[in-house]
């Protein structure tokens, strides 16, 4: 936007990659293999029963591994909630 040269992905790609849910949906739409996943907006949302523990819980709209801690690895439904 500021017309400052840089290397790397364009604005659209960077924005899309920051939204993990939309990125995963795009990969699935184009039949690009990706690990099984699901998302929830609320703790009461149901999660796909086909997912196998342990799972990694990540914020949907952060860069790289921001927001991921040791507590992000869950071994059962209680810890997932």
């Amino acid at each position: 936007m500021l017309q400052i040269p840089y290397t790397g992905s364009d604005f659209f790609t960077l924005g899309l990659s920051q939204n993990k849910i939309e990125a995963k949906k795009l990969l699935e739409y184009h039949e690009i293999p990706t690990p099984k996943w699901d998302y929830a907006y609320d703790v009461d949302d149901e999660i796909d029963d086909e997912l196998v523990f342990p799972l990694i819980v990540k914020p949907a709209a952060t860069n790289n591994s921001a927001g991921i801690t040791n507590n992000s690895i869950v071994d059962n439904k209680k810890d997932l909630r």
Side-chain angles (χ1 to χ4, degrees):
M1 285 179 9
L2 299 175
Q3 302 302 313
I4 299 171
Y6 69 96
T7 59
S9 298
D10 61 25
F11 179 76
F12 175 77
T13 303
L14 288 173
L16 179 61
S17 67
Q18 288 180 359
N19 186 323
K20 293 173 184 68
I21 295 170
E22 293 303 317
K24 286 290 223 174
K25 287 179 178 179
L26 185 64
L27 292 171
E28 285 186 343
Y29 177 81
H30 289 285
E31 300 180 359
I32 298 170
T34 182
K36 290 186 184 238
W37 66 287
D38 202 354
Y39 62 95
Y41 291 107
D42 188 89
V43 295
D44 295 325
D45 289 352
E46 291 296 319
I47 301 296
D48 185 349
D49 286 334
E50 291 186 22
L51 293 174
V52 178
F53 289 97
L55 300 173
I56 298 178
V57 178
K58 305 184 213 182
T62 59
N63 286 329
N64 305 315
S65 59
I68 299 174
T69 68
N70 287 338
N71 292 331
S72 298
I73 301 171
V74 296
D75 294 307
N76 54 60
K77 284 195 173 194
K78 179 183 173 205
D79 291 344
L80 177 62
R81 296 256 177 236

Coordinates of all heavy atoms in Angstrom, one line a residue:
M1 N 0.8 -1.2 0.0 CA 0.0 0.0 0.0 C 0.9 1.3 0.0 O 0.5 2.3 -0.6 CB -0.9 0.0 1.2 CG -2.1 -0.9 1.1 SD -3.2 -1.0 2.5 CE -2.8 0.2 3.6
L2 N 2.0 1.2 0.7 CA 2.8 2.4 0.8 C 3.9 2.5 -0.4 O 4.7 3.3 -0.4 CB 3.6 2.4 2.1 CG 2.7 2.5 3.3 CD1 3.5 2.4 4.6 CD2 1.9 3.8 3.3
Q3 N 3.8 1.5 -1.3 CA 4.7 1.4 -2.4 C 6.2 1.3 -1.9 O 7.1 1.8 -2.6 CB 4.5 2.6 -3.3 CG 3.1 2.7 -3.9 CD 2.7 1.5 -4.7 OE1 3.4 1.0 -5.5 NE2 1.5 1.0 -4.4
I4 N 6.4 0.6 -0.8 CA 7.8 0.4 -0.3 C 8.2 -1.0 -0.8 O 7.5 -2.0 -0.4 CB 7.8 0.5 1.2 CG1 7.4 1.9 1.6 CG2 9.2 0.1 1.7 CD1 7.3 2.1 3.1
P5 N 9.2 -1.2 -1.5 CA 9.6 -2.5 -2.0 C 10.0 -3.4 -0.9 O 10.5 -3.0 0.1 CB 10.9 -2.2 -2.9 CG 10.9 -0.7 -3.1 CD 10.1 -0.1 -2.0
Y6 N 9.6 -4.7 -1.0 CA 10.0 -5.7 -0.1 C 10.0 -7.1 -0.7 O 9.4 -7.2 -1.9 CB 9.0 -5.7 1.1 CG 7.6 -6.2 0.8 CD1 7.2 -7.5 1.0 CD2 6.7 -5.3 0.2 CE1 5.9 -7.9 0.7 CE2 5.4 -5.7 -0.1 CZ 5.0 -7.0 0.1 OH 3.8 -7.5 -0.2
T7 N 10.5 -8.0 -0.1 CA 10.5 -9.4 -0.6 C 9.5 -10.2 0.1 O 9.2 -9.9 1.3 CB 11.9 -10.1 -0.5 OG1 12.3 -10.1 0.8 CG2 12.9 -9.3 -1.3
G8 N 9.0 -11.2 -0.5 CA 8.0 -12.1 0.2 C 6.7 -12.1 -0.5 O 6.5 -11.6 -1.7
S9 N 5.7 -12.6 0.2 CA 4.3 -12.7 -0.4 C 3.6 -11.4 -0.6 O 4.0 -10.4 0.1 CB 3.5 -13.6 0.5 OG 4.0 -14.9 0.6
D10 N 2.7 -11.3 -1.5 CA 1.9 -10.1 -1.7 C 0.9 -9.9 -0.5 O 0.7 -10.8 0.3 CB 1.2 -10.1 -3.0 CG 0.2 -11.3 -3.2 OD1 -0.3 -11.8 -2.2 OD2 -0.1 -11.6 -4.3
F11 N 0.2 -8.8 -0.5 CA -0.7 -8.4 0.6 C -1.8 -9.5 0.7 O -2.1 -9.9 1.9 CB -1.3 -7.0 0.3 CG -2.2 -6.6 1.3 CD1 -1.8 -6.1 2.5 CD2 -3.6 -6.6 1.1 CE1 -2.7 -5.7 3.5 CE2 -4.5 -6.2 2.0 CZ -4.1 -5.7 3.3
F12 N -2.4 -9.9 -0.4 CA -3.5 -10.9 -0.3 C -3.0 -12.2 0.4 O -3.7 -12.7 1.2 CB -4.1 -11.1 -1.7 CG -5.1 -12.2 -1.7 CD1 -6.4 -12.0 -1.2 CD2 -4.8 -13.5 -2.1 CE1 -7.4 -13.0 -1.2 CE2 -5.8 -14.5 -2.1 CZ -7.0 -14.2 -1.6
T13 N -1.9 -12.7 -0.1 CA -1.4 -13.9 0.4 C -1.1 -13.8 1.9 O -1.4 -14.7 2.7 CB -0.1 -14.4 -0.4 OG1 -0.5 -14.5 -1.7 CG2 0.4 -15.7 0.1
L14 N -0.4 -12.7 2.3 CA -0.1 -12.5 3.7 C -1.4 -12.5 4.6 O -1.5 -13.1 5.6 CB 0.7 -11.2 3.9 CG 2.1 -11.3 3.4 CD1 2.7 -9.9 3.5 CD2 2.9 -12.3 4.3
G15 N -2.4 -11.8 4.1 CA -3.7 -11.7 4.8 C -4.4 -13.0 4.9 O -4.9 -13.4 6.0
L16 N -4.4 -13.8 3.9 CA -5.0 -15.1 3.9 C -4.3 -16.0 4.8 O -4.9 -16.8 5.6 CB -5.0 -15.7 2.5 CG -5.6 -17.1 2.4 CD1 -7.1 -17.1 2.8 CD2 -5.5 -17.6 0.9
S17 N -2.9 -16.0 4.8 CA -2.2 -16.9 5.7 C -2.3 -16.6 7.1 O -2.1 -17.4 8.0 CB -0.7 -16.9 5.3 OG -0.1 -15.6 5.6
Q18 N -2.8 -15.4 7.5 CA -3.0 -15.0 8.8 C -4.4 -15.5 9.4 O -4.6 -15.6 10.5 CB -3.0 -13.5 9.0 CG -1.6 -12.9 8.9 CD -1.5 -11.4 9.1 OE1 -2.6 -10.8 9.3 NE2 -0.4 -10.9 9.0
N19 N -5.2 -16.0 8.5 CA -6.5 -16.5 8.9 C -6.4 -18.0 8.6 O -6.7 -18.5 7.5 CB -7.7 -15.9 8.1 CG -9.0 -16.4 8.6 OD1 -9.2 -17.5 8.9 ND2 -10.0 -15.5 8.6
K20 N -6.1 -18.8 9.6 CA -5.9 -20.3 9.4 C -7.2 -21.0 8.9 O -7.1 -21.9 8.1 CB -5.5 -20.9 10.7 CG -4.1 -20.4 11.2 CD -3.7 -20.9 12.5 CE -2.4 -20.4 13.0 NZ -2.4 -18.9 13.3
I21 N -8.4 -20.5 9.4 CA -9.6 -21.2 8.9 C -9.8 -21.0 7.4 O -10.1 -22.0 6.7 CB -10.8 -20.6 9.7 CG1 -10.7 -21.0 11.2 CG2 -12.1 -21.2 9.1 CD1 -11.7 -20.3 12.1
E22 N -9.7 -19.8 6.9 CA -9.9 -19.5 5.5 C -8.8 -20.2 4.7 O -9.0 -20.7 3.6 CB -9.9 -18.0 5.2 CG -11.1 -17.3 5.8 CD -12.4 -17.9 5.3 OE1 -12.6 -18.2 4.1 OE2 -13.3 -18.0 6.2
A23 N -7.5 -20.2 5.2 CA -6.5 -20.9 4.5 C -6.7 -22.4 4.3 O -6.6 -23.0 3.3 CB -5.1 -20.6 5.2
K24 N -7.2 -23.0 5.4 CA -7.5 -24.4 5.4 C -8.7 -24.7 4.4 O -8.7 -25.7 3.7 CB -7.9 -25.0 6.8 CG -6.7 -25.1 7.7 CD -5.8 -26.2 7.2 CE -5.3 -27.1 8.4 NZ -4.6 -28.2 8.0
K25 N -9.7 -23.9 4.4 CA -10.8 -24.0 3.5 C -10.4 -23.9 2.1 O -10.8 -24.7 1.2 CB -11.9 -23.0 3.8 CG -12.7 -23.3 5.1 CD -13.7 -22.2 5.3 CE -14.6 -22.4 6.5 NZ -15.6 -21.3 6.7
L26 N -9.5 -23.0 1.8 CA -9.0 -22.8 0.4 C -8.2 -24.1 0.0 O -8.3 -24.5 -1.1 CB -8.1 -21.6 0.4 CG -7.6 -21.2 -1.0 CD1 -8.7 -20.9 -2.0 CD2 -6.6 -20.0 -0.9
L27 N -7.3 -24.6 0.9 CA -6.6 -25.8 0.5 C -7.5 -27.0 0.3 O -7.3 -27.7 -0.7 CB -5.6 -26.1 1.7 CG -4.5 -25.2 1.9 CD1 -3.8 -25.5 3.2 CD2 -3.5 -25.2 0.8
E28 N -8.5 -27.2 1.1 CA -9.5 -28.2 0.9 C -10.2 -28.1 -0.4 O -10.5 -29.0 -1.2 CB -10.5 -28.4 2.0 CG -9.8 -29.0 3.3 CD -10.8 -29.2 4.4 OE1 -11.9 -28.6 4.4 OE2 -10.5 -30.0 5.3
Y29 N -10.7 -26.8 -0.7 CA -11.4 -26.6 -2.0 C -10.6 -27.0 -3.2 O -11.1 -27.5 -4.2 CB -11.8 -25.1 -2.0 CG -12.5 -24.7 -3.3 CD1 -13.8 -24.9 -3.5 CD2 -11.7 -24.1 -4.4 CE1 -14.5 -24.6 -4.6 CE2 -12.4 -23.8 -5.6 CZ -13.7 -24.0 -5.7 OH -14.4 -23.7 -6.9
H30 N -9.3 -26.7 -3.2 CA -8.4 -27.1 -4.3 C -7.8 -28.5 -4.1 O -6.9 -28.8 -4.9 CB -7.3 -26.0 -4.4 CG -7.9 -24.7 -4.9 ND1 -8.2 -24.5 -6.2 CD2 -8.1 -23.6 -4.3 CE1 -8.7 -23.3 -6.4 NE2 -8.6 -22.7 -5.2
E31 N -8.4 -29.3 -3.2 CA -8.0 -30.7 -3.0 C -6.5 -30.8 -2.7 O -5.8 -31.7 -3.2 CB -8.4 -31.5 -4.1 CG -9.9 -31.5 -4.3 CD -10.4 -32.4 -5.4 OE1 -9.6 -33.0 -6.2 OE2 -11.7 -32.4 -5.6
I32 N -5.9 -29.8 -2.0 CA -4.5 -29.9 -1.6 C -4.5 -30.6 -0.2 O -5.2 -30.1 0.7 CB -3.9 -28.5 -1.5 CG1 -4.0 -27.8 -2.9 CG2 -2.5 -28.5 -0.9 CD1 -3.6 -26.4 -2.9
P33 N -3.8 -31.7 -0.1 CA -3.8 -32.4 1.2 C -3.3 -31.5 2.4 O -2.4 -30.8 2.3 CB -2.7 -33.5 0.9 CG -2.7 -33.7 -0.6 CD -2.9 -32.3 -1.1
T34 N -4.1 -31.7 3.4 CA -3.8 -31.0 4.7 C -4.2 -31.9 5.8 O -5.2 -32.6 5.7 CB -4.5 -29.6 4.7 OG1 -4.1 -28.9 5.9 CG2 -6.0 -29.7 4.5
P35 N -3.6 -31.8 7.0 CA -4.0 -32.6 8.1 C -5.5 -32.3 8.5 O -6.0 -31.2 8.3 CB -3.1 -32.2 9.2 CG -1.8 -31.7 8.5 CD -2.3 -31.0 7.3
K36 N -6.1 -33.3 9.0 CA -7.5 -33.1 9.5 C -7.6 -32.0 10.5 O -6.6 -31.8 11.3 CB -8.1 -34.4 10.1 CG -8.3 -35.5 9.1 CD -9.0 -36.7 9.7 CE -9.1 -37.7 8.6 NZ -10.4 -38.2 8.4
W37 N -8.7 -31.2 10.4 CA -8.8 -30.1 11.3 C -10.2 -29.7 11.5 O -11.1 -30.2 10.8 CB -8.0 -28.9 10.7 CG -8.7 -28.4 9.4 CD1 -8.7 -29.1 8.2 CD2 -9.5 -27.3 9.3 NE1 -9.4 -28.4 7.3 CE2 -10.0 -27.3 7.9 CE3 -10.0 -26.3 10.1 CZ2 -10.8 -26.3 7.4 CZ3 -10.8 -25.3 9.6 CH2 -11.2 -25.3 8.3
D38 N -10.5 -28.9 12.5 CA -11.8 -28.3 12.7 C -11.6 -27.0 13.4 O -10.5 -26.6 13.8 CB -12.6 -29.3 13.6 CG -14.1 -29.0 13.4 OD1 -14.5 -28.1 12.7 OD2 -14.9 -29.8 14.0
Y39 N -12.7 -26.2 13.5 CA -12.6 -25.0 14.2 C -13.8 -24.7 15.1 O -14.9 -25.4 14.8 CB -12.4 -23.8 13.2 CG -13.6 -23.6 12.2 CD1 -14.6 -22.7 12.5 CD2 -13.6 -24.4 11.1 CE1 -15.7 -22.6 11.6 CE2 -14.7 -24.2 10.2 CZ -15.7 -23.3 10.4 OH -16.7 -23.2 9.6
A40 N -13.7 -23.9 16.0 CA -14.8 -23.5 16.9 C -14.7 -22.0 17.2 O -13.6 -21.5 17.4 CB -14.7 -24.3 18.2
Y41 N -15.9 -21.4 17.3 CA -15.9 -20.0 17.6 C -16.3 -19.9 19.1 O -16.1 -18.8 19.7 CB -16.9 -19.3 16.8 CG -16.5 -19.1 15.4 CD1 -17.1 -19.9 14.3 CD2 -15.5 -18.2 15.0 CE1 -16.6 -19.7 13.0 CE2 -15.0 -18.1 13.7 CZ -15.6 -18.8 12.7 OH -15.2 -18.7 11.4
D42 N -16.8 -20.9 19.7 CA -17.3 -20.9 21.1 C -16.9 -22.3 21.7 O -16.9 -23.3 21.0 CB -18.8 -20.7 21.1 CG -19.3 -20.4 22.5 OD1 -19.4 -19.3 22.9 OD2 -19.7 -21.4 23.1
V43 N -16.7 -22.3 23.0 CA -16.4 -23.5 23.7 C -17.5 -24.6 23.6 O -17.2 -25.8 23.8 CB -16.0 -23.3 25.2 CG1 -14.8 -22.5 25.4 CG2 -17.2 -22.7 26.0
D44 N -18.7 -24.2 23.3 CA -19.8 -25.1 23.2 C -19.9 -25.7 21.7 O -20.8 -26.6 21.5 CB -21.1 -24.4 23.6 CG -21.2 -24.1 25.0 OD1 -20.6 -24.8 25.8 OD2 -21.8 -23.0 25.4
D45 N -19.2 -25.2 20.8 CA -19.2 -25.7 19.4 C -18.7 -27.1 19.4 O -17.7 -27.5 20.1 CB -18.3 -24.8 18.5 CG -19.0 -23.5 18.2 OD1 -20.1 -23.3 18.6 OD2 -18.3 -22.7 17.6
E46 N -19.3 -28.0 18.6 CA -18.9 -29.4 18.5 C -17.7 -29.5 17.6 O -17.5 -28.7 16.7 CB -20.0 -30.2 17.9 CG -21.2 -30.4 18.8 CD -20.9 -31.1 20.1 OE1 -20.1 -32.1 20.0 OE2 -21.4 -30.7 21.2
I47 N -16.8 -30.4 18.0 CA -15.6 -30.6 17.2 C -15.7 -32.0 16.5 O -16.3 -32.9 17.1 CB -14.4 -30.6 18.2 CG1 -14.2 -29.3 18.9 CG2 -13.1 -31.0 17.4 CD1 -14.0 -28.1 18.0
D48 N -15.2 -32.1 15.3 CA -15.2 -33.3 14.5 C -14.8 -34.5 15.3 O -13.6 -34.5 15.8 CB -14.4 -33.1 13.3 CG -14.4 -34.3 12.3 OD1 -15.0 -35.4 12.7 OD2 -13.9 -34.2 11.2
D49 N -15.6 -35.5 15.5 CA -15.3 -36.7 16.3 C -14.2 -37.6 15.6 O -13.6 -38.5 16.3 CB -16.5 -37.6 16.5 CG -17.5 -37.0 17.5 OD1 -17.0 -36.3 18.4 OD2 -18.7 -37.3 17.4
E50 N -13.9 -37.3 14.3 CA -12.9 -38.1 13.7 C -11.4 -37.6 14.0 O -10.5 -38.3 13.7 CB -13.1 -38.1 12.1 CG -14.3 -38.9 11.7 CD -14.5 -38.9 10.2 OE1 -13.4 -38.8 9.5 OE2 -15.6 -39.2 9.8
L51 N -11.3 -36.5 14.6 CA -10.0 -36.0 15.0 C -9.5 -36.9 16.1 O -10.2 -37.3 17.0 CB -10.1 -34.5 15.5 CG -10.4 -33.5 14.4 CD1 -10.6 -32.1 15.0 CD2 -9.4 -33.5 13.3
V52 N -8.2 -37.1 16.1 CA -7.5 -38.1 17.0 C -6.6 -37.2 17.9 O -5.8 -36.5 17.4 CB -6.7 -39.1 16.3 CG1 -6.0 -40.1 17.2 CG2 -7.6 -39.9 15.3
F53 N -6.7 -37.4 19.2 CA -5.9 -36.8 20.2 C -4.5 -37.4 20.1 O -4.4 -38.6 19.8 CB -6.4 -36.9 21.6 CG -7.7 -36.1 21.8 CD1 -8.9 -36.6 21.6 CD2 -7.6 -34.7 22.1 CE1 -10.1 -35.8 21.8 CE2 -8.7 -33.9 22.2 CZ -10.0 -34.5 22.1
P54 N -3.4 -36.7 20.4 CA -3.4 -35.3 20.9 C -3.7 -34.3 19.7 O -3.4 -34.6 18.6 CB -2.0 -35.0 21.4 CG -1.2 -36.0 20.7 CD -2.1 -37.2 20.4
L55 N -4.3 -33.2 20.1 CA -4.6 -32.1 19.1 C -3.8 -30.8 19.5 O -3.4 -30.7 20.7 CB -6.1 -31.8 19.1 CG -7.0 -32.9 18.8 CD1 -8.4 -32.5 19.0 CD2 -6.8 -33.3 17.3
I56 N -3.6 -30.0 18.6 CA -3.0 -28.7 18.9 C -4.1 -27.6 18.6 O -4.7 -27.6 17.6 CB -1.8 -28.4 18.0 CG1 -0.7 -29.4 18.2 CG2 -1.3 -27.0 18.2 CD1 0.5 -29.3 17.4
V57 N -4.3 -26.8 19.6 CA -5.3 -25.7 19.6 C -4.6 -24.4 19.3 O -3.6 -24.1 20.0 CB -6.1 -25.6 20.9 CG1 -7.1 -24.5 20.8 CG2 -6.8 -26.9 21.2
K58 N -5.0 -23.7 18.2 CA -4.3 -22.5 17.8 C -5.3 -21.4 17.6 O -6.4 -21.6 17.2 CB -3.6 -22.7 16.4 CG -2.7 -23.8 16.3 CD -2.1 -23.7 14.9 CE -1.7 -25.0 14.3 NZ -1.1 -24.9 13.0
P59 N -4.9 -20.1 17.9 CA -5.8 -19.0 17.5 C -5.9 -19.0 16.0 O -5.0 -19.3 15.3 CB -5.0 -17.8 18.0 CG -3.9 -18.3 18.9 CD -3.7 -19.7 18.5
A60 N -7.1 -18.6 15.5 CA -7.3 -18.6 14.1 C -6.6 -17.5 13.3 O -6.3 -17.6 12.1 CB -8.8 -18.6 13.8
A61 N -6.4 -16.4 13.9 CA -6.0 -15.2 13.2 C -4.7 -14.6 13.8 O -4.7 -13.4 14.2 CB -7.1 -14.2 13.1
T62 N -3.6 -15.4 13.9 CA -2.4 -14.9 14.3 C -1.3 -15.3 13.4 O -1.4 -16.3 12.6 CB -2.0 -15.4 15.7 OG1 -2.0 -16.8 15.7 CG2 -3.0 -14.9 16.8
N63 N -0.2 -14.6 13.4 CA 1.0 -15.0 12.6 C 1.7 -16.2 13.2 O 1.9 -16.3 14.4 CB 2.0 -13.8 12.5 CG 1.4 -12.7 11.5 OD1 0.7 -13.0 10.6 ND2 1.8 -11.5 11.8
N64 N 2.2 -17.0 12.3 CA 3.1 -18.1 12.7 C 2.6 -18.8 13.9 O 1.5 -19.3 13.9 CB 4.5 -17.5 12.8 CG 5.0 -16.8 11.6 OD1 4.8 -17.3 10.5 ND2 5.6 -15.6 11.8
S65 N 3.5 -18.9 14.9 CA 3.1 -19.7 16.1 C 2.7 -18.8 17.3 O 2.6 -19.2 18.4 CB 4.3 -20.6 16.5 OG 5.4 -19.8 16.8
A66 N 2.4 -17.5 17.0 CA 1.9 -16.6 18.1 C 0.7 -17.2 18.7 O -0.2 -17.6 18.0 CB 1.7 -15.2 17.5
G67 N 0.7 -17.2 20.0 CA -0.5 -17.7 20.7 C -0.5 -19.2 21.1 O -1.3 -19.7 21.7
I68 N 0.6 -19.9 20.6 CA 0.7 -21.3 20.9 C 1.6 -21.5 22.0 O 2.7 -20.9 22.0 CB 1.2 -22.1 19.6 CG1 0.2 -21.9 18.5 CG2 1.4 -23.5 20.0 CD1 0.7 -22.5 17.2
T69 N 1.2 -22.2 23.1 CA 2.0 -22.5 24.2 C 2.0 -24.0 24.5 O 1.3 -24.7 23.8 CB 1.4 -21.8 25.5 OG1 0.1 -22.4 25.8 CG2 1.2 -20.3 25.2
N70 N 2.6 -24.4 25.6 CA 2.6 -25.8 25.9 C 1.2 -26.3 26.2 O 0.8 -27.4 26.0 CB 3.5 -26.1 27.2 CG 4.9 -26.0 26.8 OD1 5.3 -26.2 25.7 ND2 5.8 -25.8 27.8
N71 N 0.3 -25.4 26.7 CA -1.1 -25.7 27.0 C -1.9 -25.9 25.7 O -3.1 -26.3 25.8 CB -1.7 -24.6 27.8 CG -1.1 -24.6 29.2 OD1 -0.7 -25.6 29.7 ND2 -1.1 -23.4 29.9
S72 N -1.3 -25.5 24.6 CA -2.1 -25.7 23.3 C -2.2 -27.1 22.8 O -3.0 -27.5 22.0 CB -1.3 -24.9 22.2 OG -1.3 -23.5 22.5
I73 N -1.4 -28.0 23.4 CA -1.4 -29.4 23.1 C -2.4 -30.1 24.1 O -2.2 -30.0 25.3 CB -0.1 -30.1 23.2 CG1 0.9 -29.4 22.3 CG2 -0.2 -31.6 23.0 CD1 2.4 -29.9 22.5
V74 N -3.5 -30.7 23.5 CA -4.5 -31.3 24.4 C -4.6 -32.7 24.1 O -4.5 -33.2 23.0 CB -5.9 -30.5 24.2 CG1 -5.8 -29.1 24.7 CG2 -6.4 -30.6 22.8
D75 N -4.9 -33.5 25.2 CA -4.9 -35.0 25.1 C -6.3 -35.6 25.2 O -6.4 -36.8 25.1 CB -4.0 -35.6 26.1 CG -2.5 -35.2 25.9 OD1 -2.0 -35.5 24.7 OD2 -1.9 -34.7 26.8
N76 N -7.3 -34.7 25.5 CA -8.6 -35.3 25.7 C -9.6 -34.1 25.5 O -9.3 -33.0 25.5 CB -8.8 -36.0 27.0 CG -8.3 -35.1 28.2 OD1 -8.9 -34.0 28.3 ND2 -7.3 -35.5 28.9
K77 N -10.9 -34.5 25.5 CA -12.0 -33.5 25.3 C -12.1 -32.5 26.4 O -12.3 -31.3 26.2 CB -13.3 -34.2 25.1 CG -13.5 -34.7 23.7 CD -14.9 -35.1 23.4 CE -15.1 -35.5 22.0 NZ -16.4 -35.5 21.5
K78 N -11.8 -33.0 27.7 CA -11.8 -32.1 28.8 C -10.8 -31.0 28.6 O -11.1 -29.8 28.8 CB -11.6 -32.8 30.1 CG -11.6 -32.0 31.3 CD -11.2 -32.7 32.6 CE -11.1 -31.8 33.7 NZ -10.2 -32.3 34.8
D79 N -9.5 -31.3 28.3 CA -8.5 -30.4 28.1 C -8.8 -29.5 26.8 O -8.5 -28.3 26.8 CB -7.1 -31.0 27.9 CG -6.6 -31.7 29.1 OD1 -7.1 -31.4 30.2 OD2 -5.7 -32.5 29.0
L80 N -9.4 -30.0 25.8 CA -9.8 -29.2 24.7 C -10.8 -28.1 25.1 O -10.6 -27.0 24.6 CB -10.4 -30.2 23.6 CG -10.9 -29.5 22.3 CD1 -9.8 -28.8 21.6 CD2 -11.6 -30.5 21.5
R81 N -11.8 -28.4 25.8 CA -12.7 -27.4 26.3 C -12.0 -26.3 27.1 O -12.3 -25.2 27.0 CB -13.8 -28.0 27.1 CG -14.7 -29.0 26.3 CD -16.0 -28.4 26.0 NE -16.7 -29.3 25.1 CZ -17.2 -29.0 23.9 NH1 -17.0 -27.8 23.4 NH2 -17.8 -29.8 23.2

